[in-house]
Amino acid sequence: MSQILIAGASGLIGRELLRQLDPAHSLTLLCRKAGDPRPQHHWLPVDFEQLAELRLPDPVDIAFCCLGTTRRQAGSDEAFHRVDHDYVLAFAALARRHGCQRLIVVSSLGANPHSPALYPRTKGQMELALLTQAWPRLAIVRPAMLLGNRQPPRLSEKCFQAFYPLLRPLLVGKLRRWRAIDASQVAHAMIVLSQQEGGVEVVENERLHGM
Protein backbone atom coordinates (compact mmCIF):
# COMPACT_ATOMS: atom_id res chain seq x y z
CA MET A 1 0.00 0.00 0.00
CA SER A 2 1.27 3.47 -0.93
CA GLN A 3 0.53 6.78 0.72
CA ILE A 4 -0.62 9.04 -2.12
CA LEU A 5 -1.10 12.80 -2.02
CA ILE A 6 -3.32 14.46 -4.64
CA ALA A 7 -4.09 18.10 -5.37
CA GLY A 8 -6.93 18.82 -7.76
CA ALA A 9 -8.82 15.60 -7.04
CA SER A 10 -12.18 17.23 -7.75
CA GLY A 11 -11.20 18.24 -11.29
CA LEU A 12 -11.61 16.36 -14.54
CA ILE A 13 -8.34 14.41 -14.37
CA GLY A 14 -8.33 14.21 -10.59
CA ARG A 15 -11.70 12.45 -10.49
CA GLU A 16 -10.38 9.89 -12.97
CA LEU A 17 -7.34 9.28 -10.77
CA LEU A 18 -9.62 8.52 -7.85
CA ARG A 19 -11.61 6.11 -10.00
CA GLN A 20 -8.58 4.28 -11.38
CA LEU A 21 -6.15 4.13 -8.45
CA ASP A 22 -5.92 0.82 -6.61
CA PRO A 23 -8.31 1.05 -3.63
CA ALA A 24 -5.64 -0.52 -1.44
CA HIS A 25 -3.73 2.77 -1.49
CA SER A 26 -4.30 5.44 1.13
CA LEU A 27 -5.19 8.76 -0.52
CA THR A 28 -4.85 12.20 1.03
CA LEU A 29 -6.77 14.69 -1.10
CA LEU A 30 -6.02 18.37 -0.65
CA CYS A 31 -9.14 20.41 -1.27
CA ARG A 32 -10.98 23.61 -0.45
CA LYS A 33 -13.98 21.58 0.72
CA ALA A 34 -14.37 17.85 1.31
CA GLY A 35 -15.77 15.57 -1.38
CA ASP A 36 -17.61 12.26 -1.15
CA PRO A 37 -16.37 10.29 1.89
CA ARG A 38 -14.86 6.88 1.23
CA PRO A 39 -12.79 4.70 3.57
CA GLN A 40 -9.52 5.14 1.63
CA HIS A 41 -10.12 8.83 0.73
CA HIS A 42 -8.96 11.36 3.30
CA TRP A 43 -10.24 14.74 2.12
CA LEU A 44 -8.10 17.42 3.75
CA PRO A 45 -9.51 20.95 3.44
CA VAL A 46 -6.61 23.40 3.21
CA ASP A 47 -5.79 27.01 2.41
CA PHE A 48 -3.55 26.69 -0.65
CA GLU A 49 -1.97 30.01 0.30
CA GLN A 50 -0.67 28.33 3.46
CA LEU A 51 0.75 25.04 2.17
CA ALA A 52 4.19 25.98 3.47
CA GLU A 53 2.86 25.68 7.03
CA LEU A 54 0.89 22.46 6.47
CA ARG A 55 1.99 19.27 8.22
CA LEU A 56 0.57 15.95 7.06
CA PRO A 57 -0.06 13.03 9.43
CA ASP A 58 1.85 10.50 7.29
CA PRO A 59 4.83 10.44 4.91
CA VAL A 60 4.07 10.57 1.17
CA ASP A 61 5.17 7.97 -1.37
CA ILE A 62 3.62 9.40 -4.58
CA ALA A 63 2.18 12.84 -5.32
CA PHE A 64 -0.15 13.72 -8.19
CA CYS A 65 -0.76 17.38 -9.01
CA CYS A 66 -3.80 18.14 -11.16
CA LEU A 67 -4.18 21.79 -10.16
CA GLY A 68 -5.32 24.19 -12.85
CA THR A 69 -7.76 26.96 -13.63
CA THR A 70 -8.48 29.47 -16.38
CA ARG A 71 -7.88 33.19 -16.60
CA ARG A 72 -11.65 33.76 -16.50
CA GLN A 73 -12.20 31.59 -13.44
CA ALA A 74 -9.23 33.08 -11.61
CA GLY A 75 -10.30 36.66 -12.31
CA SER A 76 -6.91 38.13 -13.14
CA ASP A 77 -3.51 37.27 -14.62
CA GLU A 78 -2.00 37.34 -11.14
CA ALA A 79 -4.62 35.02 -9.66
CA PHE A 80 -4.22 32.58 -12.55
CA HIS A 81 -0.44 32.54 -12.08
CA ARG A 82 -0.89 31.90 -8.38
CA VAL A 83 -2.95 28.74 -8.98
CA ASP A 84 -1.15 27.25 -11.99
CA HIS A 85 2.36 28.17 -10.88
CA ASP A 86 2.66 29.07 -7.20
CA TYR A 87 0.25 26.48 -5.83
CA VAL A 88 1.85 23.73 -7.92
CA LEU A 89 5.31 24.55 -6.59
CA ALA A 90 4.00 24.81 -3.04
CA PHE A 91 2.35 21.40 -3.43
CA ALA A 92 5.61 19.90 -4.72
CA ALA A 93 7.50 21.36 -1.75
CA LEU A 94 4.89 19.97 0.65
CA ALA A 95 5.17 16.48 -0.83
CA ARG A 96 8.97 16.61 -0.73
CA ARG A 97 9.00 17.72 2.92
CA HIS A 98 7.04 14.58 3.72
CA GLY A 99 9.49 12.25 2.02
CA CYS A 100 7.91 11.97 -1.42
CA GLN A 101 10.19 10.62 -4.14
CA ARG A 102 7.71 10.49 -7.05
CA LEU A 103 5.85 13.50 -8.43
CA ILE A 104 3.52 13.46 -11.43
CA VAL A 105 2.23 16.86 -12.62
CA VAL A 106 -0.32 17.91 -15.23
CA SER A 107 0.89 20.72 -17.50
CA SER A 108 -0.30 21.47 -21.03
CA LEU A 109 0.56 20.97 -24.66
CA GLY A 110 2.53 23.97 -25.86
CA ALA A 111 3.90 24.95 -22.46
CA ASN A 112 6.69 27.47 -23.04
CA PRO A 113 8.20 29.84 -20.44
CA HIS A 114 8.92 32.38 -23.20
CA SER A 115 5.47 32.39 -24.79
CA PRO A 116 3.76 35.80 -25.11
CA ALA A 117 0.46 34.15 -24.11
CA LEU A 118 -0.37 33.85 -20.41
CA TYR A 119 -1.50 30.20 -20.29
CA PRO A 120 1.43 28.46 -22.05
CA ARG A 121 3.92 30.88 -20.44
CA THR A 122 2.69 30.13 -16.93
CA LYS A 123 2.71 26.38 -17.55
CA GLY A 124 6.22 26.63 -19.00
CA GLN A 125 7.49 28.61 -16.03
CA MET A 126 5.99 26.05 -13.67
CA GLU A 127 7.68 23.21 -15.56
CA LEU A 128 11.02 24.99 -15.56
CA ALA A 129 10.88 25.52 -11.82
CA LEU A 130 10.10 21.84 -11.20
CA LEU A 131 12.81 20.64 -13.57
CA THR A 132 15.44 22.51 -11.56
CA GLN A 133 14.54 20.50 -8.46
CA ALA A 134 16.27 17.23 -7.63
CA TRP A 135 13.36 14.79 -7.88
CA PRO A 136 14.29 11.08 -8.06
CA ARG A 137 11.16 10.62 -10.18
CA LEU A 138 9.39 13.51 -11.90
CA ALA A 139 7.01 13.21 -14.83
CA ILE A 140 5.30 16.25 -16.35
CA VAL A 141 2.44 15.40 -18.70
CA ARG A 142 1.36 17.74 -21.49
CA PRO A 143 -2.14 16.81 -22.67
CA ALA A 144 -3.96 18.66 -25.43
CA MET A 145 -7.63 19.67 -25.04
CA LEU A 146 -9.30 17.35 -22.55
CA LEU A 147 -12.41 15.30 -23.28
CA GLY A 148 -14.73 14.38 -20.46
CA ASN A 149 -17.51 15.57 -18.23
CA ARG A 150 -16.03 18.53 -16.37
CA GLN A 151 -17.93 19.86 -13.34
CA PRO A 152 -18.73 22.67 -13.50
CA PRO A 153 -18.65 22.60 -17.31
CA ARG A 154 -16.58 25.09 -19.31
CA LEU A 155 -18.49 26.52 -22.26
CA SER A 156 -15.43 26.56 -24.53
CA GLU A 157 -14.78 22.88 -23.87
CA LYS A 158 -18.43 21.91 -24.42
CA CYS A 159 -18.38 23.66 -27.80
CA PHE A 160 -15.07 22.04 -28.71
CA GLN A 161 -16.27 18.55 -27.79
CA ALA A 162 -19.39 19.03 -29.91
CA PHE A 163 -17.36 19.87 -33.03
CA TYR A 164 -14.31 17.71 -32.35
CA PRO A 165 -15.59 14.58 -34.20
CA LEU A 166 -15.61 16.68 -37.39
CA LEU A 167 -12.16 18.12 -36.70
CA ARG A 168 -10.33 14.96 -35.64
CA PRO A 169 -9.90 13.42 -39.16
CA LEU A 170 -8.00 16.57 -40.18
CA LEU A 171 -5.45 16.22 -37.38
CA VAL A 172 -2.91 14.07 -39.20
CA GLY A 173 0.83 14.27 -39.70
CA LYS A 174 2.36 17.07 -37.66
CA LEU A 175 -1.11 18.07 -36.50
CA ARG A 176 -1.59 14.78 -34.61
CA ARG A 177 -0.01 16.37 -31.54
CA TRP A 178 -3.12 18.55 -31.19
CA ARG A 179 -5.57 15.65 -30.98
CA ALA A 180 -7.82 15.94 -27.94
CA ILE A 181 -7.43 13.30 -25.25
CA ASP A 182 -9.86 11.81 -22.78
CA ALA A 183 -9.18 12.68 -19.14
CA SER A 184 -9.37 8.99 -18.28
CA GLN A 185 -6.43 8.30 -20.62
CA VAL A 186 -4.36 11.06 -19.02
CA ALA A 187 -5.09 9.67 -15.55
CA HIS A 188 -4.13 6.16 -16.68
CA ALA A 189 -0.85 7.47 -18.12
CA MET A 190 -0.08 9.31 -14.89
CA ILE A 191 -0.56 6.14 -12.86
CA VAL A 192 1.69 4.18 -15.23
CA LEU A 193 4.36 6.91 -15.05
CA SER A 194 4.23 6.92 -11.24
CA GLN A 195 5.07 3.20 -11.20
CA GLN A 196 8.10 3.47 -13.48
CA GLU A 197 11.66 3.75 -12.28
CA GLY A 198 13.36 7.00 -11.39
CA GLY A 199 14.15 9.79 -13.80
CA VAL A 200 12.83 13.10 -15.04
CA GLU A 201 10.76 13.39 -18.20
CA VAL A 202 8.24 15.58 -19.99
CA VAL A 203 5.57 13.43 -21.65
CA GLU A 204 3.94 14.93 -24.72
CA ASN A 205 0.35 14.44 -25.84
CA GLU A 206 1.21 11.93 -28.58
CA ARG A 207 2.79 9.57 -26.05
CA LEU A 208 -0.10 9.95 -23.62
CA HIS A 209 -2.44 8.64 -26.33
CA GLY A 210 -0.41 5.44 -26.55
CA MET A 211 -0.12 4.65 -22.86
Side-chain angles (χ1 to χ4, degrees):
M1 181 182 74
S2 295
Q3 294 287 340
I4 297 177
L5 182 67
I6 303 178
S10 62
L12 188 57
I13 295 174
R15 294 199 312 272
E16 283 296 331
L17 278 175
L18 298 189
R19 187 179 66 83
Q20 295 183 36
L21 282 166
D22 189 328
H25 297 315
S26 176
L27 310 182
T28 298
L29 315 173
L30 302 189
C31 58
R32 289 188 174 88
K33 60 180 181 179
D36 296 334
R38 294 187 182 183
Q40 74 275 26
H41 293 177
H42 175 210
W43 290 93
L44 182 61
V46 298
D47 180 353
F48 281 87
E49 297 283 350
Q50 304 297 325
L51 289 186
E53 284 74 48
L54 182 63
R55 294 295 179 269
L56 300 175
D58 298 299
V60 176
D61 298 311
I62 304 170
F64 294 99
C65 186
C66 309
L67 290 173
T69 186
T70 64
R71 167 60 174 77
R72 175 174 292 184
Q73 287 178 318
S76 68
D77 290 3
E78 294 74 18
F80 172 79
H81 187 274
R82 190 157 61 249
V83 174
D84 280 54
H85 180 278
D86 298 349
Y87 288 0
V88 174
L89 298 184
F91 173 80
L94 171 67
R96 196 62 185 273
R97 288 199 308 274
H98 289 80
C100 184
Q101 301 292 301
R102 295 170 178 262
L103 174 65
I104 316 298
V105 178
V106 178
S107 182
S108 174
L109 177 67
N112 179 353
H114 307 295
S115 173
L118 175 66
Y119 187 85
R121 182 174 70 248
T122 301
K123 293 294 190 183
Q125 291 170 347
M126 175 271 290
E127 289 186 5
L128 190 61
L130 289 177
L131 290 169
T132 62
Q133 300 174 5
W135 280 95
R137 176 57 173 158
L138 170 64
I140 298 171
V141 301
R142 289 179 170 179
M145 181 68 78
L146 296 173
L147 302 175
N149 183 25
R150 190 187 295 275
Q151 297 297 327
R154 294 177 182 173
L155 179 59
S156 61
E157 290 187 354
K158 289 182 67 177
C159 294
F160 176 82
Q161 292 193 47
F163 287 100
Y164 182 66
L166 300 176
L167 177 63
R168 190 181 188 281
L170 304 178
L171 298 177
V172 296
K174 292 183 178 180
L175 296 179
R176 287 179 62 89
R177 68 191 297 262
W178 295 99
R179 284 187 174 180
I181 185 168
D182 197 286
S184 63
Q185 183 65 44
V186 178
H188 173 75
M190 293 174 71
I191 294 170
V192 170
L193 290 165
S194 74
Q195 297 168 347
Q196 294 177 349
E197 293 303 316
V200 176
E201 59 182 326
V202 176
V203 183
E204 297 287 356
N205 189 54
E206 299 99 314
R207 184 177 166 200
L208 295 176
H209 274 282
M211 296 185 70

